[in-house]
Amino acid sequence: MFGYRARIGYISPSVIELNGYDFYRIVPDGVGMIAVACMVGGWNEEAYKVALKRVDECAHELKRRSCDFIIHDGAPLVLSQGKGFETKLIQELEAITGVPCTTAIAAALDGFRELSVSRLAVVDPYPPDLNEKVVSYLKAWGLETLSLVSLGTDFTASSIASAADLYQAAKHAVREAGNADGIYIPCANFPVMDVIEDIETDLGLPVITNMTSQLYVAFKTISIRERIDGCGRLMRLLAEG
């Protein structure tokens, strides 16, 4: 039976590609995704405004689908609005849906706390102006970005970046950072699940991604405590809580 253990509502920032694929690579049997998209058109302020206006509509649709938890994905949409917006958005989503919710950047912050991470090596696909917002937002939360390596992919091409490129970018970012205690890879449309264990094993640091941090928060909230291997250190913590 679909979703007999949990029905996870998912508001995708754009077309559902790797985020849907990776969701089902991670979750245990009996967990289902109910997904909608607010269709952000790119990494720019006007596109964020348009997509954020659609979030309420998406939330109302998910309310009709008997979800147990709702994830709003897309870190740029939220961090571009500055510190504090994530809290207001979660409150708004919970008021509409009546179930617990999180958003990409809020879940990442939870992941940093769980793993005692504060000095970051960041890998992403974003352009320079968005990366300035990433660094500024993290700093506002007391997190230090020691290095940032961008693959500089086009908005519609991040899903076809190679796992090898991601691995090498993480290696470069950690080397450049010097004393990072965690690696942050915020894009949900990156093939990071292909190499997350390799990165953590070889570089000796935990990797925080959109999908893993969001599912960690969701499962912890709704009491799914199954150990999930092969998806990074954060997911393994579920069985220890």
Side-chain angles (χ1 to χ4, degrees):
M1 177 180 173
F2 176 83
Y4 69 88
R5 292 176 72 182
R7 295 169 60 88
I8 306 296
Y10 186 87
I11 303 174
S12 178
S14 185
V15 172
I16 298 163
E17 294 181 76
L18 276 180
N19 42 12
Y21 175 59
D22 285 343
F23 178 95
Y24 282 109
R25 295 173 71 184
I26 296 170
V27 301
D29 290 345
V31 176
M33 171 192 274
I34 299 90
V36 291
C38 60
M39 294 307 296
V40 63
W43 290 317
N44 61 75
E45 291 298 331
E46 186 56 35
Y48 303 150
K49 289 177 184 177
V50 172
L52 285 168
K53 287 179 181 177
R54 296 175 178 144
V55 170
D56 281 7
E57 180 183 355
C58 291
H60 280 290
E61 184 58 35
L62 291 177
K63 181 181 180 179
R64 303 196 310 147
R65 306 293 175 140
S66 302
C67 297
D68 300 295
F69 190 97
I70 290 172
I71 293 167
H72 173 269
D73 199 4
L77 284 170
V78 177
L79 65 82
S80 64
Q81 308 305 303
K83 182 183 178 183
F85 183 78
E86 73 295 325
T87 301
K88 289 189 288 186
L89 180 58
I90 290 169
Q91 290 171 345
E92 182 179 333
L93 291 172
E94 291 182 342
I96 291 170
T97 63
V99 298
C101 304
T102 194
T103 191
I105 195 68
L109 292 170
D110 286 337
F112 299 146
R113 285 189 286 268
E114 290 291 306
L115 294 164
S116 299
V117 166
S118 61
R119 302 187 307 277
L120 301 172
V122 178
V123 176
D124 65 34
Y126 305 144
D129 60 328
L130 179 52
N131 278 323
E132 289 178 9
K133 291 182 172 67
V134 171
V135 173
S136 177
Y137 183 92
L138 293 172
K139 183 179 180 181
W141 281 100
L143 298 160
E144 190 176 4
T145 303
L146 300 181
S147 65
L148 192 156
V149 175
S150 174
L151 271 65
T153 63
D154 182 76
F155 177 75
T156 60
S158 56
S159 65
I160 57 176
S162 78
D165 285 343
L166 266 173
Y167 176 90
Q168 291 300 325
K171 200 170 183 179
H172 180 194
V174 169
R175 184 168 58 246
E176 186 177 293
N179 65 337
D181 54 16
I183 303 167
Y184 180 36
I185 305 179
C187 182
N189 219 26
F190 257 172
V192 65
M193 295 312 301
D194 292 337
V195 288
I196 189 170
E197 288 289 345
D198 293 336
I199 292 171
E200 289 196 343
T201 298
D202 295 351
L203 303 183
L205 297 174
V207 176
I208 298 89
T209 77
N210 274 17
M211 188 58 72
T212 54
S213 59
Q214 289 164 168
L215 288 175
Y216 176 82
V217 172
F219 289 170
K220 189 173 180 181
T221 302
I222 62 178
S223 299
I224 291 180
R225 293 294 190 171
E226 185 168 333
R227 181 183 173 94
I228 298 174
D229 292 315
C231 301
R233 193 181 305 177
L234 185 61
M235 297 307 292
R236 290 194 292 274
L237 288 180
L238 283 167
E240 301 174 11

